[in-house]
Amino acid sequence: MSEAVEHVPAAGATSVRRSRDVPLLVERARTGDPRAVARLITLVENGDALLPEIAAALAPYAGQAQVVGLTGSPGVGKSTTTNELVRALRERGHRVGVLAVDPSSPFTGGAILGDRVRMQDHATDPGVYIRSMSSRGHLGGLAAATPQAVRVLEGAGCDVVLVETVGVGQAEVEVASLADTTLVLLAPGMGDAIQAVKAGILEIADVFVVNKADRDGADATVRDIQGMIALGERGPGQWRPQVVRSVAARGEGIDDIAAAIDKHRGWLVEHGELRRRQEARAAAEIEAIALGVLRARIGSLRDGTELTTLAAKVAEGTNDPYTAADELLAQLGT
């Protein structure tokens, strides 16, 4: 199901690439047609008017894929680890989808999409679909369209969806709201390990992966992370993050990472946490869509006089911004 593989064109293949027939696209995607999957994700990324219809058509397949997020600072080996995880998952017979988010230019909005370059090992595997997505300036390590793209891959029959973030900092933890299991990758020799796992990043990790563990300082990095985990407060039965070593460039430690993911999956199911996370993910999607609609409505007011009038009153001191905001919301019918 790889997007890069060249299949013999089937009847209607050209029309699928530009089709706006949502039932047809979803039907083709369910059979693993990479062109249909690509078309659906493109429509999602572009915020097409068909997006509500696409979401409705994909709704019956929600929650059927295991979603694993991979995050960490630039240079820790996220793409290499993702590539090796795909290999391990395929050996188990899983269909795998990969969403690799790349940073985009603040000037043109374009992206190199280098993550796909690093995953060409799977370009001819019909059981793998790899899609690079430009962040398009969206903060948090993901693209705005990533949640809906995950739904497309679920609908396309992927058993596991790997979401690789942009190289992120301490506060960019959005992937945790999208993934069932979040891997935080670190590497020795890239600065103070404690600095790397402060607050936000420490709290979102279900599994810590110390990659490039053949380097000097790997033992110290593992000890630092384990020490930070020990300081965390956990009630009875709560998940304790695992710490795994790997050398992804040589394929070492990948089975240990997969085992840690499996262990966390078992804990999620046993404690009902998987359903809670799926519901929290759905709540975040609903909120984001509602806020997007609200922003669009507010933007439409800029073409009229309502917002300008309210702003003038606040600027001259005859009104306060909270009262003005209430009046604005009232005009929007909220």
Side-chain angles (χ1 to χ4, degrees):
M1 197 166 58
S2 170
E3 187 185 24
V5 64
E6 289 296 330
H7 296 280
V8 176
T14 302
S15 63
V16 165
R17 290 194 186 98
R18 299 184 180 277
S19 175
R20 298 182 63 80
D21 185 338
V22 172
L24 172 65
L25 289 171
V26 172
E27 179 185 350
R28 292 285 186 86
R30 292 292 295 165
T31 67
D33 184 341
R35 297 177 182 85
V37 177
R39 178 62 174 157
L40 286 169
I41 294 180
T42 297
L43 291 170
V44 164
E45 279 195 287
N46 293 339
D48 194 274
L50 290 174
L51 192 49
E53 185 180 350
I54 293 171
L58 295 172
Y61 313 110
Q64 295 186 7
Q66 181 179 5
V67 183
V68 178
L70 296 93
T71 190
S73 302
V76 296
K78 293 188 298 298
S79 294
T80 305
T81 302
T82 300
N83 186 64
E84 293 303 314
L85 270 177
V86 170
R87 192 188 314 279
L89 291 166
R90 288 296 293 142
E91 288 175 356
R92 297 182 179 187
H94 293 312
R95 294 177 71 181
V96 184
V98 179
L99 294 174
V101 184
D102 280 294
S104 56
S105 165
F107 304 105
T108 66
I112 295 177
L113 305 182
D115 288 325
R116 183 183 294 173
V117 174
R118 297 188 184 97
M119 298 182 209
Q120 284 303 300
D121 292 350
H122 309 289
T124 58
D125 186 344
V128 179
Y129 183 92
I130 300 171
R131 175 76 174 220
S132 290
M133 302 180 72
S134 168
S135 64
R136 300 189 183 186
H138 185 76
L139 300 179
L142 301 178
T146 305
Q148 293 303 318
V150 168
R151 290 193 178 275
V152 171
L153 294 181
E154 286 183 319
C158 291
D159 301 302
V160 182
V161 177
L162 302 177
V163 181
E164 180 195 329
T165 73
V166 170
V168 298
Q170 295 169 2
E172 293 164 305
V173 295
E174 188 177 351
V175 68
S177 66
L178 179 67
D180 301 324
T181 299
T182 301
L183 310 185
V184 172
L185 275 69
L186 302 144
M190 298 190 69
D192 184 358
I194 297 298
Q195 183 75 8
V197 296
K198 279 183 177 178
I201 289 290
L202 176 66
E203 292 163 0
I204 70 166
D206 299 307
V207 178
F208 284 104
V209 177
V210 179
N211 191 35
K212 306 182 182 181
D214 53 341
R215 290 184 176 180
D216 292 340
D219 291 342
T221 301
V222 170
R223 285 196 303 270
D224 287 342
I225 297 169
Q226 290 174 334
M228 291 292 288
I229 293 171
L231 293 174
E233 296 183 3
R234 290 177 189 82
Q238 285 190 305
W239 174 255
R240 180 184 177 89
Q242 307 286 291
V243 183
V244 181
R245 301 170 186 249
S246 69
V247 185
R250 298 204 298 256
E252 297 175 6
I254 301 304
D255 289 340
D256 294 335
I257 297 173
I261 294 171
D262 289 342
K263 185 175 181 180
H264 184 247
R265 177 76 173 189
W267 178 86
L268 290 173
V269 173
E270 180 183 352
H271 291 80
E273 181 69 9
L274 180 59
R275 173 57 62 182
R276 192 200 68 77
R277 292 194 180 195
Q278 289 173 338
E279 290 177 357
R281 185 157 71 232
E285 284 185 74
I286 295 167
E287 181 181 9
I289 292 168
L291 288 173
V293 172
L294 188 58
R295 289 192 190 99
R297 291 182 182 177
I298 291 175
S300 68
L301 290 179
R302 293 182 181 274
D303 298 329
T305 60
E306 296 90 345
L307 187 57
T308 302
T309 301
L310 289 169
K313 290 180 179 180
V314 171
E316 67 188 17
T318 58
N319 200 355
D320 67 89
Y322 287 93
T323 301
D326 287 340
E327 293 176 13
L328 179 64
L329 291 173
Q331 292 176 25
L332 292 172
T334 60

